[in-house]
Amino acid sequence: MNELGQRPIIPVKVAVLRCGIVPQTGTLLAGRVGDTALTKTTHKIIIRWYKDVKCDDWLVIEGQRYNIIYSLDPYNNHERLELFCEVII
């Protein structure tokens, strides 16, 4: 328990997976403080079927964190899983 009486969230490695990364969209968010630019980039990450993937999970690929927006099982045959993710900077 922390000082607010909440249990801390501790990240745990669940699995090590091989994947393919396909960049999907990129958006430049302008109008930030100090004329800085921020990008919002989404990627499609393709993995073998893994039943325990949830939308509140995230992936770490080469030190970069990817939050899962949603997952898709193409053709509904449980061969592969397409994870649509957002890069967290």
Side-chain angles (χ1 to χ4, degrees), residues 56-61 63-67 86-89:
D56 58 345
D57 293 338
W58 66 84
L59 305 166
V60 177
I61 301 170
Q64 183 68 48
R65 180 176 163 162
Y66 295 81
N67 280 350
E86 181 178 60
V87 176
I88 300 300
I89 297 175

Side-chain angles (χ1 to χ4, degrees), residues 6 13 15-16 21 25 29 31 44 50 58 60 62-63 74 77 87-88:
Q6 301 169 334
K13 183 187 288 187
V16 176
I21 302 174
T25 61
L29 304 174
K44 178 170 61 172
Y50 189 75
W58 66 84
V60 177
E62 295 182 2
N77 58 5
V87 176
I88 300 300

Side-chain angles (χ1 to χ4, degrees), residues 73-84:
D73 180 13
Y75 310 112
N76 213 11
N77 58 5
H78 302 314
E79 285 183 4
R80 68 177 184 205
L81 198 59
E82 294 181 355
L83 306 174
F84 291 85

Side-chain angles (χ1 to χ4, degrees), residues 3-68:
E3 62 272 0
L4 298 175
Q6 301 169 334
R7 296 184 194 278
I9 298 173
I10 301 171
V12 176
K13 183 187 288 187
V14 176
V16 176
L17 304 171
R18 294 178 186 238
C19 66
I21 302 174
V22 180
Q24 292 290 308
T25 61
T27 306
L28 183 62
L29 304 174
R32 311 303 273 180
V33 177
D35 292 330
T36 59
L38 179 66
T39 60
K40 180 178 177 182
T41 309
T42 58
H43 292 80
K44 178 170 61 172
I45 299 175
I46 303 167
I47 62 172
R48 287 185 180 173
W49 172 256
Y50 189 75
K51 66 177 181 171
D52 294 331
V53 175
K54 299 180 291 290
C55 287
D56 58 345
D57 293 338
W58 66 84
L59 305 166
V60 177
I61 301 170
E62 295 182 2
Q64 183 68 48
R65 180 176 163 162
Y66 295 81
N67 280 350
I68 299 173

